[in-house]
Amino acid sequence: MLIKTKKSWELSENEVTNEDLFNKRRQFMKMGGVAAMSSYLPALSWAAADHLANQIALAPTTRTLDEKLNSFEEITNYNNFYELGTGKGDPVKNADELNTDDWSIEVTGECDNPGTYALEDLINFNDLEERIYRMRCVEAWSMVIPWTGVSLSTILDKMNPNSDAKYVGFETIYDRSNPLSGQRSRVLDWPYREGLRLDEAMHPLTMMAVGIYGKPMPNQNGAPLRLVVPWKYGFKSIKSITKINFSKTQPQTSWNMAGPREYGFFSNVNPEVNHPRWSQGSERRIGELFRRDTLMFNGYGAEVASMYDGMDMSTNY
Ligand code: MTE
């Protein structure tokens, strides 16, 4: 007999989302959040932006976590987004540099439907859901963030990857003739690049996010759309995506190119394998006093470990 046991993070349909979040969203809608937030959404026509902001605010919570959420202020003021500067406070300070007008995403490579897509062509706004995930940065700090978005697989399915598609590569905005201020420094080889194996990209936990706390994605967090891969170090979760490419071979990735001994392609959170310059055994949860132990696969092992069966996990992949 098949008995379906409910996982700790699953919600039954009539369970209401975390009350605090729910109230914040209502308040946001009441304040005329759509008009207030539409500056985040110039990529879309007014009507589409209005629809997206509404759908983000109303997206049902499909995944909870029994850990305290970080505040909106923490999540949007302590960031890594090197295109907007290397300091944790630089991205919010320089957020206005990122112009999301007429945003489009170019899809290339091993798929049946390459082309240039607008946000609303990639993401069905009616399918948006909110999921609360841990995020663990390779620098050994972490947060708990309520993201709004869709499974990346719903986007990739539209492209119909062919049988040669083994990997998916992503790139962030980069205009060589008009770089963002952080891109004037050679700290990374721009554009920021990331990639996943196709099965990782298609995994139901992998998300393309367009909002946080029921609000459209702030620029400093990667507007208008960014990846969220919660079992990997945060640098895999590339922000402000402009390109998606399906390939036969493993794509080059920015941090791996910058420091191959320090940042592997897979970069699954692993407390057993230290960074050459610091321990990965524990982490500082932003807002907490004491360090906490880092969990294998950032606590998502039951869902993702089988993808790595037979793989040597003792090195810094
Ligand atoms: N994406 C781009 N394009 N540029 C970046 O510098 N930093 C990464 C990742 N995505 C980064 C990026 C790193 S190191 C982390 S930890 C997360 O974004 C941080 O996401 P957050 O600022 O929303 O918390």
Side-chain angles (χ1 to χ4, degrees):
M1 191 170 61
L2 190 71
I3 302 172
K4 188 176 183 302
T5 49
K6 196 167 150 231
K7 309 235 173 55
S8 61
W9 45 264
E10 280 180 335
L11 285 169
S12 62
E13 270 164 32
N14 54 5
E15 255 174 299
V16 178
T17 178
N18 174 315
E19 197 182 346
D20 188 37
L21 266 184
F22 188 75
N23 290 335
K24 278 199 182 109
R25 272 192 221 157
R26 289 267 155 248
Q27 204 185 1
F28 167 70
M29 303 280 285
K30 252 197 336 236
M31 276 164 23
V34 170
M37 286 319 233
S38 58
S39 64
Y40 283 138
L41 300 167
L44 302 166
S45 67
W46 194 88
D50 183 57
H51 182 49
L52 176 56
N54 270 301
Q55 293 308 108
I56 290 173
L58 296 173
T61 305
T62 56
R63 190 173 175 113
T64 57
L65 191 64
D66 200 13
E67 288 173 32
K68 188 170 176 282
L69 295 180
N70 282 95
S71 67
F72 185 74
E73 286 64 35
E74 286 166 337
I75 296 168
T76 57
N77 284 270
Y78 187 92
N79 298 100
N80 273 336
F81 196 173
Y82 275 22
E83 288 85 338
L84 298 176
T86 51
K88 296 289 182 274
D90 290 344
V92 64
K93 212 168 58 205
N94 300 326
D96 287 347
E97 284 181 23
L98 180 67
N99 178 0
T100 54
D101 283 353
D102 305 319
W103 199 270
S104 61
I105 300 99
E106 193 188 335
V107 179
T108 53
E110 304 293 344
C111 68
D112 294 342
N113 301 316
T116 302
Y117 290 82
L119 202 60
E120 62 266 48
D121 300 328
L122 280 188
I123 296 174
N124 184 346
F125 299 162
N126 298 318
D127 290 347
L128 292 173
E129 46 183 270
E130 178 178 74
R131 303 184 196 169
I132 299 171
Y133 283 160
R134 294 180 202 94
M135 191 189 67
R136 168 62 157 82
C137 179
V138 75
E139 298 164 333
W141 54 267
S142 65
M143 293 204 204
V144 175
I145 303 178
W147 303 103
T148 306
V150 294
S151 284
L152 178 64
S153 64
T154 65
I155 295 177
L156 302 186
D157 279 342
K158 288 188 211 260
M159 309 309 162
N160 218 6
N162 64 37
S163 58
D164 281 334
K166 306 287 184 232
Y167 295 88
V168 194
F170 303 88
E171 281 184 26
T172 294
I173 185 170
Y174 179 43
D175 178 355
R176 220 171 273 275
S177 60
N178 184 24
L180 297 165
S181 57
Q183 292 172 323
R184 293 201 193 99
S185 133
R186 300 291 303 164
V187 60
L188 288 173
D189 184 2
W190 310 109
Y192 194 100
R193 275 159 272 188
E194 257 313 329
L196 296 169
R197 217 169 52 187
L198 189 65
D199 59 334
E200 300 178 313
M202 290 295 193
H203 192 280
L205 274 178
T206 306
M207 199 176 179
M208 189 68 95
V210 292
I212 288 176
Y213 262 106
K215 302 177 193 188
M217 188 69 74
N219 283 358
Q220 62 270 32
N221 293 88
L225 79 170
R226 66 163 301 164
L227 208 60
V228 182
V229 194
W231 72 96
K232 291 179 179 284
Y233 290 119
F235 67 84
K236 300 293 294 181
S237 293
I238 181 173
K239 298 178 171 183
S240 304
I241 294 168
T242 54
K243 288 187 184 159
I244 300 178
N245 180 54
F246 294 94
S247 60
K248 270 187 216 173
T249 53
Q250 188 174 299
Q252 285 199 309
T253 56
S254 291
W255 280 104
N256 184 241
M257 287 156 70
R261 274 186 356 92
E262 304 198 345
Y263 309 102
F265 176 80
F266 284 95
S267 284
N268 295 318
V269 175
N270 186 347
E272 306 289 322
V273 178
N274 290 333
H275 186 280
R277 290 181 280 130
W278 59 84
S279 162
Q280 295 293 24
S282 69
E283 66 201 53
R284 183 170 62 94
R285 176 70 48 85
I286 300 301
E288 285 183 359
L289 207 52
F290 300 106
R291 294 181 76 84
R292 45 167 77 217
D293 288 344
T294 288
L295 306 171
M296 186 65 201
F297 293 113
N298 204 21
Y300 299 99
E303 292 157 84
V304 303
S306 64
M307 284 193 289
Y308 309 102
D309 279 351
M311 195 188 234
D312 176 9
M313 301 295 282
S314 67
T315 66
N316 168 32
Y317 268 108

